[in-house]
Amino acid sequence: MDSEEKKKALELLDNLRYDKYPLPDERYKYIGKRDVRRLDGLEKATGLANYTMDVQIPGMLFMRFLTSPYPHAEIKGMDTSAVDKFPGVRGILRYDDPEVQEREDLGGHGVSSRFPVPKVAHFQGEEVGLAVVADTEDIAEEALRLAKVEWEQRPFLLDPVEALNPAAPPANPEDFPNGNLEAVYESGRGDVNKGFQESDVVFEFASKRSQHTYISPERPCGVWRWNGQYPELWVKQQRPHIVKRAVSSWFGGIPMNRIQLHILYQGASFGGWSQFGWNLAGHYCAAIFARRTLRPVKWTFTRREDFYGGSMDEGVHHYKVGAKKDGTILAVRAETVYANPMWGGQGPTLHLEECTKIPHIYGKRTLAIVNRGPNTAVRCEQLPNCHTLTLVFDHVAAQLGMDPIEVALKNDGVHGNSIDWARKEKRALGFPETDSLRTCIEKGKTAIQWDAKWHPPGAKRMPNGHFHGIGFTWNHEWEDSAGSGEIAMRLERNDGTLSILGMRCDNGVNAESAYCQIAADEIGMKIEDVFYRPHIDPGFFTMTPDSSTNMSVNGFAVRHAARMLKEKILSAATRPRAVTQRGSYPPFFQNMKPVDLDIKDSTIFAKSDPSKKLSLAELVGPSGDEGPLAFYELYGTERTAFSEPLFSHSYHVQVGAYRGGIRPRFIRQAHFMEVEVCPRTGQIFITKVINVNDVGKAINPMACEGQMYGGTYMGIGRAMWEEVVHDPITGVMLNGNLLDYKIATIEDCGPIDTILLESKLGFGPYGLTGIGEDVATMIPALLGPAVYNAIGVWIDDYPITPERILKALAKAQREGS
Amino acid sequence: MKTFAHFNAASIDEAVDLLKRYAGKASLIAGGTDLLGKMKDRILPSYPEALINLKTIPGLDGIRIEKDSVKIGSLTKLEDVARHPVVQKEYAALGQAARNTASPHLREMGTLGGNICQDVRCWYYRNPDNRFPCLRKGGGRCYAINGDNRYHSIFGGSVTEGCYAVHPSDTAPALTVLGATIRTSKRTIPIENFFSVDIIQTTVLDRDEIVTDIILPRLPEITKSRFFKFALRKSIDFPIVNCAVSLALKEKQAVSCKICLNSVFVKPYRPTHAEKLLEGKEINEDIAEAVADAAVSNAKPLHHNAYMVPIAKELTKSAILACA
């Protein structure tokens, strides 16, 4: 069928301008509305939602891994005779088992190549040497304790800077035989030395960020079952399509169409585990056990085992900044050392390059290997950039005694170009000419009463003796993943309801509901007639819900598919039905063309005479009713209407801005934080947070606000407390539990205001942009400027603990006196 | 978890008999909020062979108001302690301490008896699978002393060996300044003598001894008490430092004063020399500051925990001023 909508969809691939075909505003019935119920709300709120850990299959066995008690050690020998004999143990898989002697693709971002049961541990707590399968998780756990392991301990390193010392012992000679320096990346523009020479002030500072981790709501786990010779697996993952690809490479190759995948609820993943290159080792070993025992196998990690590893911003940053007296920043040099990144990640200066006009920028990141859990994209890989942007801008303001808001507005730009350039560019690309940053700032300033509250650093005390501080930062929103999303949808027989099809992991504040809103408005259906359950594998994979791309990529795919389906529906309503060799029935709407019809509230109607109407249920007819003419000839009566299957499939491709800088950043976010600091105890009280997020267009405002609230709590925990602590002497993690690793609770922050702006400056459908990562990623660094404004002393090392506050105040007092 | 025997004790005598029979290999369970975590993480070299449930013994929970005393059953839940009107009125420090312990769920599980008998929170001691076989477990050394000791003692180690773990209870310092006595299955112990700096356990209880009541004397109306807690998060966290103060005032002058800091030493820490400074004095900002200074004057912080000293001082000062 010739499809106008398909042509439009193809035209919008890699959309590099304002949405060319937005839905007219008057057709928004559910898009942007607050009364749409979350699809998963009832299940999750009542505890009825099924997670991978809930999967129970008759005869299922349980598998656990041995973990290393040492941060760097090789297994020289292992006596597992007692493990084998332990009642309830059904099998063991040792590092020297013939079936695990090859490196396999075990997941992660790209193709990884790792041993499923390694014999060398590179951090304490690493799964190593032995897997046991048993009748229960407890038995497996107990049996593992009976293994007598001969460990050869090796020297270990915890500090990335120490690891770069040429004299340092190798932290991971297996994967990095040439030393602990993994890679160096450089980026930037202009000539920073020239910039420094032209500057009125040049200053330097350093900043440290401790490792913080992800700990998703559900601990890592999975289930494997062989159906005959083909696998069926339940995965707790962020990227099910990568799982399927990796699995298909195992055991001599398994055709993709023989792999059955389920991805149930998981609450979130916060990056982390899903990104690691051996996150599928559990599945690999479970598959071997399942084959050997002819039983399904569930593998699990403990809660503690989910604490190893962290975010890619762990490390040290050295900054040199040059600026004019009026606040114009001329040059920024940022040199960083990051610990243990699983992949190259983002440099420290990318956001400065993308959303400022600073002419001279040099960023360098050095990646060092240490003996702690791997660091990866946790909550967001842009953390280093947000850290840099906030600290550089607020330090400039402090150096010059300026309001940080003025410094932001003075340097706002697009890829080195001025805001004037951006205005022209917006016009050329079909966008409104709105100044997003200025609007965000205006709204935020009013909400927090900035003009009344901002003061020079250290200048305001509260009646209770606390210092008062207020901070501001800003950025652009990013939705960067270069990737594609596929979506299909079909009208169900009998009742004409719409099923959206596409496998997707449960990340974000239930984006599925937002997809339904788009489909309902685009087709003209009632929201309750649209449903999306992304847990099964229908052969279509949405863009992974990372890098805030839920709506900017998948939103387009849903819209394309919905429009193509609507086109098919209207065509079916105007064409003869049940066309066979014997003949056909006349169309539902005779002598009409699709353009003469429309759909509203799940009912097709003639535009010229709305009383002529047909429900979608009537259009699709009952299931199993094919062959109506034969029926007529036999029985003399016409049965219910019959139409062709109504199904559509589409996709969208969006290339991120960071590949060559082809997508200018026009949309901005602003964040404000008010604090009190007790000078006697060093305690920080975050009394108010204002998030102003320009999302372009909010499809589901409550879901957006959910991200803003959740991101704030996550952010303040990371700013104030979150830190994975290792014992310096033994390299053992000390706080791998939810009591000693301190995530903020809802009581730990004052009121949070959420202000959504809709400038339509995003490259997504309807002019939207993502929101998933901005708040959680911007809030941590913002505490620094707020505390500086309070106490008048910079604390650039995070988390900002009472100890650091007290030390900084004591130092300031010494220097002052 | 490993399997273990479980007994529902019908009486204190039965529970004591079971303790004797298992000779140190059984544990008592009431709320279980401390014990079950320890068992799941296998922090000790040995694992209890039996749990003896005290919740099935009638009469161990509840608050009884008597003429000369208030008796709080050892199994009284922390939430019930916190909400009791007599506790709130006469023993404000205890009510505040109970209210500031853990989280709502844990306060509905955890008991007052369990709270004062709980084990230390040292993250070396508590590291799963007995990863650090430290002094307190009969091992060779304290791992915290050269390791990360940000939450450890600022007043030195235990008398005998040098364990720097702190006593984490919120209610213990409140009970201390309120002059509580602990009644057990075999004796009555003034709370001052209840906590031990012996390295193996936190209290002086024998292996076959069970706390039955916490008895508070009725205090003259001139006595006020307050409890302050410093923790990183506003809910759930154990204290970095806490402090309870009771103060009897007559015509604005302090007749008697008790100060107890906790989470700063192996047992609740009473700076008696500081208390004396207050006697006969009118309470004001300056004297509170001086007393608080004295309260921490013996502090010997370790490498990572000097920040606890000013916090302890500030809490002491705040608690004194709040009583005035």
Side-chain angles (χ1 to χ4, degrees):
Chain A
M1 175 182 139
D2 191 34
S3 168
E4 283 302 314
E5 292 301 337
K6 188 171 181 182
K7 281 182 203 156
K8 288 182 190 169
L10 292 173
E11 194 185 339
L12 289 173
L13 297 186
D14 258 345
N15 186 46
L16 296 176
R17 48 166 293 126
Y18 177 64
D19 183 1
K20 204 170 170 187
Y21 305 106
L23 194 68
D25 285 355
E26 65 273 16
R27 293 199 66 120
Y28 291 153
K29 187 171 176 193
Y30 303 109
I31 290 175
K33 301 298 191 296
R34 288 179 172 270
D35 52 1
V36 177
R37 288 184 79 164
R38 275 178 67 155
L39 287 179
D40 63 348
L42 188 71
E43 276 174 273
K44 282 184 176 168
T46 54
L48 293 173
N50 274 314
Y51 292 71
T52 307
M53 198 59 92
D54 296 322
V55 173
Q56 294 290 345
I57 302 174
M60 188 170 76
L61 300 175
F62 296 83
M63 188 195 104
R64 297 265 301 116
F65 280 107
L66 182 75
T67 58
S68 172
Y70 306 111
H72 195 188
E74 180 177 356
I75 296 174
K76 287 297 191 185
M78 188 188 281
D79 176 359
T80 46
S81 51
V83 184
D84 252 339
K85 286 184 202 135
F86 193 72
V89 169
R90 302 292 171 181
I92 65 168
L93 191 62
R94 293 164 50 113
Y95 63 97
D96 50 5
D97 191 291
E99 280 210 71
V100 290
Q101 297 312 304
E102 299 288 327
R103 285 177 175 258
E104 304 287 347
D105 179 8
L106 297 179
H109 257 285
V111 175
S112 77
S113 174
R114 290 192 168 256
F115 291 109
V117 189
K119 72 175 210 170
V120 180
H122 299 104
F123 60 92
Q124 182 268 319
E126 184 171 6
E127 294 67 35
V128 65
L130 178 66
V132 170
V133 73
D135 289 343
T136 68
E137 209 176 345
D138 283 347
I139 293 173
E141 180 73 37
E142 204 57 42
L144 282 169
R145 293 167 196 277
L146 301 174
K148 291 185 185 129
V149 187
E150 191 190 326
W151 298 99
E152 184 178 88
Q153 290 189 59
R154 297 177 179 173
F156 67 91
L157 295 157
L158 297 176
D159 183 299
V161 176
E162 280 175 29
L164 292 176
N165 184 333
N172 183 345
E174 279 70 28
D175 294 322
F176 301 96
N178 298 324
N180 302 328
L181 172 64
E182 185 196 340
V184 177
Y185 296 97
E186 294 173 289
S187 66
R189 61 173 171 247
D191 174 356
V192 282
N193 289 328
K194 182 165 175 275
F196 293 137
Q197 280 165 14
E198 292 167 0
S199 295
D200 296 329
V201 290
V202 176
F203 61 94
E204 296 182 48
F205 65 101
S207 168
K208 228 188 263 176
R209 171 71 240 191
S210 299
Q211 187 184 35
H212 54 103
T213 184
Y214 40 85
I215 31 170
S216 56
E218 186 180 19
R219 53 194 169 116
C221 61
V223 179
W224 186 289
R225 166 163 77 182
W226 290 100
N227 294 319
Q229 53 186 315
Y230 303 121
E232 179 175 13
L233 57 162
W234 285 258
V235 298
K236 176 197 139 19
Q237 279 282 340
Q238 194 167 330
R239 299 184 173 84
H241 59 293
I242 293 183
V243 174
K244 200 168 173 181
R245 188 187 71 202
V247 167
S248 79
S249 74
W250 297 352
F251 311 120
I254 304 171
M256 292 288 282
N257 62 357
R258 317 290 160 97
I259 300 167
Q260 200 176 340
L261 210 58
H262 307 267
I263 186 157
L264 305 183
Y265 286 122
Q266 58 191 59
S269 80
F270 308 138
W273 184 248
S274 278
Q275 321 245 347
F276 295 157
W278 66 94
N279 67 67
L280 295 180
H283 282 287
Y284 193 90
C285 297
I288 293 175
F289 279 133
R291 177 157 31 72
R292 289 181 184 176
T293 60
L294 302 177
R295 308 264 290 264
V297 172
K298 179 188 280 183
W299 64 272
T300 60
F301 276 18
T302 61
R303 171 48 75 202
R304 177 181 167 84
E305 285 161 7
D306 199 18
F307 275 81
Y308 293 93
S311 164
M312 291 197 298
D313 61 337
E314 180 203 349
V316 294
H317 308 67
H318 287 275
Y319 298 107
K320 184 172 180 182
V321 184
K324 289 283 203 194
K325 274 185 191 149
D326 68 353
T328 306
I329 303 173
L330 290 182
V332 178
R333 193 176 74 201
E335 296 189 50
T336 60
V337 176
Y338 294 128
N340 260 12
M342 283 299 293
W343 48 289
Q346 309 295 334
T349 53
L350 185 69
H351 287 202
L352 293 181
E353 291 162 36
E354 289 176 341
C355 66
T356 74
K357 61 176 188 186
I358 300 171
H360 308 290
I361 298 172
Y362 172 72
K364 176 183 176 187
R365 63 189 193 278
T366 304
L367 314 182
I369 304 301
V370 295
N371 296 106
R372 281 191 278 123
N375 287 335
T376 183
V378 170
R379 283 92 177 248
C380 181
E381 76 277 8
Q382 307 293 336
L383 274 161
N385 284 301
C386 298
H387 189 87
T388 295
L389 186 136
T390 296
L391 293 190
V392 165
F393 268 72
D394 279 279
H395 270 272
V396 167
Q399 284 283 332
L400 299 170
M402 287 178 71
D403 182 336
I405 287 175
E406 282 178 50
V407 181
L409 290 170
K410 195 155 271 284
N411 293 283
D412 185 17
V414 177
H415 287 276
N417 299 299
S418 70
I419 285 302
D420 282 341
W421 177 91
R423 193 179 305 121
K424 285 178 205 148
E425 190 71 6
K426 285 176 203 168
R427 197 185 311 137
L429 295 173
F431 287 101
E433 291 179 37
T434 319
D435 185 333
S436 179
L437 180 62
R438 209 166 273 280
T439 317
C440 286
I441 285 174
E442 278 165 16
K443 296 280 182 193
K445 272 178 82 167
T446 308
I448 205 161
Q449 300 171 286
W450 179 268
D451 288 335
K453 286 182 177 171
W454 188 76
H455 51 75
K460 185 174 171 189
R461 291 272 195 139
M462 310 294 288
N464 61 6
H466 293 173
F467 287 107
H468 168 271
I470 189 166
F472 156 80
T473 190
W474 66 288
N475 207 329
H476 60 58
E477 171 56 70
W478 53 96
E479 8 99 307
D480 272 336
S481 274
S484 60
E486 304 174 345
I487 283 284
M489 51 185 67
R490 68 159 190 267
L491 287 186
E492 297 280 350
R493 290 284 179 203
N494 301 312
D495 66 359
T497 54
L498 182 80
S499 291
I500 299 180
L501 306 170
M503 187 167 240
R504 179 184 181 279
C505 98
D506 177 31
N507 271 29
V509 186
N510 195 241
E512 289 83 359
S513 306
Y515 298 1
C516 291
Q517 287 168 273
I518 291 180
D521 276 355
E522 288 290 349
I523 297 174
M525 294 184 71
K526 296 177 192 166
I527 190 81
E528 57 268 30
D529 290 342
V530 181
F531 190 65
Y532 180 23
R533 196 165 187 87
H535 303 171
I536 55 161
D537 174 10
F540 310 103
F541 290 96
T542 64
M543 172 65 208
T544 56
D546 47 34
S547 302
S548 315
T549 54
N550 260 322
M551 299 315 299
S552 55
V553 176
N554 296 328
F556 261 133
V558 171
R559 192 178 87 178
H560 298 332
R563 288 181 178 184
M564 286 160 68
L565 186 64
K566 181 176 184 182
E567 201 175 36
K568 280 189 177 177
I569 291 169
L570 297 183
S571 167
T574 53
R575 281 187 288 119
R577 291 167 289 145
V579 181
T580 68
Q581 295 172 37
R582 290 167 185 263
S584 64
Y585 285 104
F588 281 116
F589 292 91
Q590 292 182 39
N591 304 318
M592 286 197 181
K593 292 183 186 133
V595 71
D596 301 327
L597 303 175
D598 203 348
I599 308 173
K600 191 180 176 190
D601 295 337
S602 305
T603 300
I604 309 167
F605 63 95
K607 288 180 190 168
S608 57
D609 178 5
S611 69
K612 285 185 187 163
K613 59 187 179 183
L614 180 77
S615 73
L616 291 175
E618 290 169 299
L619 175 73
V620 293
S623 48
D625 236 12
E626 292 84 355
L629 271 184
F631 193 90
Y632 181 74
E633 284 164 3
L634 278 172
Y635 301 105
T637 53
E638 184 180 342
R639 283 183 77 178
T640 45
F642 163 72
S643 65
E644 64 192 275
L646 287 165
F647 169 88
S648 70
H649 163 237
S650 193
Y651 67 104
H652 187 75
V653 176
Q654 190 76 355
V655 168
Y658 58 69
R659 304 274 183 220
I662 53 170
R663 193 145 57 100
R665 311 284 202 173
F666 296 136
I667 211 155
R668 297 287 184 266
Q669 326 293 327
H671 305 276
F672 299 81
M673 181 185 281
E674 200 174 350
V675 299
E676 286 182 28
V677 180
C678 174
R680 297 175 299 275
T681 63
Q683 192 163 18
I684 301 169
F685 303 85
I686 297 181
T687 52
K688 198 170 183 75
V689 171
I690 310 272
N691 295 308
V692 191
N693 283 72
D694 184 351
V695 291
K697 169 74 193 163
I699 302 299
N700 187 325
M702 289 173 76
C704 293
E705 287 162 2
Q707 294 286 15
M708 294 157 89
Y709 289 118
T712 305
Y713 288 109
M714 201 172 253
I716 65 169
R718 272 188 268 178
M720 295 210 283
W721 309 307
E722 285 190 40
E723 182 180 11
V724 182
V725 183
H726 287 78
D727 175 46
I729 313 291
T730 59
V732 173
M733 186 194 288
L734 294 176
N735 62 343
N737 62 69
L738 288 166
L739 196 57
D740 293 321
Y741 184 87
K742 297 185 185 301
I743 295 174
T745 77
I746 197 154
E747 290 192 44
D748 294 315
C749 182
I752 299 166
D753 273 11
T754 56
I755 300 173
L756 285 172
L757 299 184
E758 299 186 293
S759 67
K760 298 193 173 177
L761 283 173
F763 288 87
Y766 322 106
L768 67 77
T769 190
I771 188 175
E773 293 157 306
D774 166 78
V775 181
T777 311
M778 291 305 296
I779 290 292
L782 175 56
L783 183 65
V787 165
Y788 168 73
N789 185 251
I791 66 175
V793 189
W794 277 107
I795 298 172
D796 291 319
D797 294 346
Y798 291 70
I800 302 179
T801 57
E803 182 187 11
R804 286 185 163 136
I805 299 262
L806 289 171
K807 274 188 176 162
L809 285 171
K811 185 166 174 256
Q813 200 169 20
R814 277 198 308 274
E815 285 167 1
S817 61
Chain B
M1 282 170 99
K2 269 173 94 163
T3 52
F4 49 83
H6 185 271
F7 298 95
N8 286 327
S11 66
I12 289 288
D13 286 348
E14 188 188 348
V16 170
D17 279 350
L18 284 162
L19 282 175
K20 283 182 176 157
R21 198 197 312 164
Y22 275 92
K25 291 178 178 166
S27 294
L28 299 171
I29 178 163
T33 56
D34 186 22
L35 179 71
L36 295 180
K38 280 169 69 176
M39 288 170 67
K40 281 184 180 171
D41 279 347
R42 308 279 282 260
I43 66 170
L44 298 176
S46 62
Y47 199 84
E49 288 176 11
L51 295 192
I52 302 160
N53 182 15
L54 301 178
K55 293 188 288 296
T56 45
I57 301 174
L60 276 186
D61 64 338
I63 298 175
R64 294 184 298 283
I65 314 297
E66 295 176 1
K67 188 163 172 285
D68 299 328
S69 65
V70 169
K71 292 197 172 96
I72 305 178
S74 59
L75 261 63
T76 310
K77 293 190 172 70
L78 291 165
E79 189 66 23
D80 294 333
V81 174
R83 286 173 180 272
H84 198 282
V86 173
V87 171
Q88 288 177 350
K89 184 162 177 277
E90 294 185 32
Y91 307 105
L94 177 61
Q96 290 159 356
R99 172 68 185 81
N100 279 286
T101 300
S103 65
H105 293 100
L106 290 167
R107 290 197 293 275
E108 291 286 3
M109 298 275 295
T111 64
L112 185 61
N115 192 259
I116 58 173
C117 292
Q118 67 182 300
D119 210 344
V120 299
R121 302 299 313 182
C122 168
W123 52 16
Y124 291 90
Y125 177 74
R126 292 239 173 199
N127 214 274
D129 301 319
N130 189 22
R131 181 64 183 79
F132 297 101
C134 66
L135 279 174
R136 190 169 279 275
K137 299 171 182 174
R141 67 183 176 95
C142 170
Y143 291 84
I145 190 91
N146 293 319
D148 194 314
N149 45 41
R150 68 181 75 180
Y151 303 134
H152 287 75
S153 171
I154 53 171
F155 288 105
S158 67
V159 177
T160 48
E161 297 283 355
C163 164
Y164 285 77
V166 294
H167 195 280
S169 169
D170 281 319
T171 59
L175 291 169
T176 301
V177 300
L178 294 168
T181 47
I182 311 300
R183 192 158 71 190
T184 75
S185 52
K186 53 168 80 161
R187 55 182 160 157
T188 301
I189 311 166
I191 196 157
E192 293 289 330
N193 303 333
F194 182 71
F195 300 104
S196 169
V197 294
D198 190 332
I199 58 164
I200 300 299
Q201 60 186 59
T202 56
T203 71
V204 297
L205 291 173
D206 294 335
R207 276 181 181 177
D208 59 350
E209 189 173 11
I210 300 171
V211 174
T212 57
D213 297 283
I214 292 98
I215 302 165
L216 292 163
R218 299 304 288 261
L219 298 171
E221 271 189 28
I222 57 168
T223 303
K224 277 189 179 178
S225 67
R226 290 291 182 271
F227 171 87
F228 281 75
K229 172 173 177 172
F230 184 96
L232 291 180
R233 292 180 292 186
K234 293 196 179 58
S235 181
I236 237 191
D237 275 351
F238 280 94
I240 302 280
V241 181
N242 64 26
C243 179
V245 167
S246 71
L247 194 58
L249 285 177
K250 210 169 189 177
E251 288 163 6
K252 291 187 176 176
Q253 289 188 340
V255 181
S256 68
C257 167
K258 281 185 186 171
I259 300 168
C260 187
L261 290 156
N262 205 15
S263 209
V264 292
F265 183 50
V266 192
K267 67 172 193 170
Y269 178 81
R270 236 186 105 186
T272 46
H273 61 288
E275 293 170 358
K276 290 200 184 91
L277 294 180
L278 208 54
E279 281 168 20
K281 303 274 172 43
E282 194 170 322
I283 308 300
N284 57 35
E285 186 89 22
D286 291 342
I287 186 76
E289 177 88 17
V291 172
D293 252 335
V296 297
S297 60
N298 293 332
K300 299 177 288 252
L302 303 169
H303 189 61
H304 295 105
N305 66 0
Y307 72 100
M308 288 167 63
V309 178
I311 294 170
K313 182 185 156 186
E314 175 63 17
L315 294 197
T316 308
K317 183 179 167 189
S318 301
I320 292 169
L321 290 172
C323 285

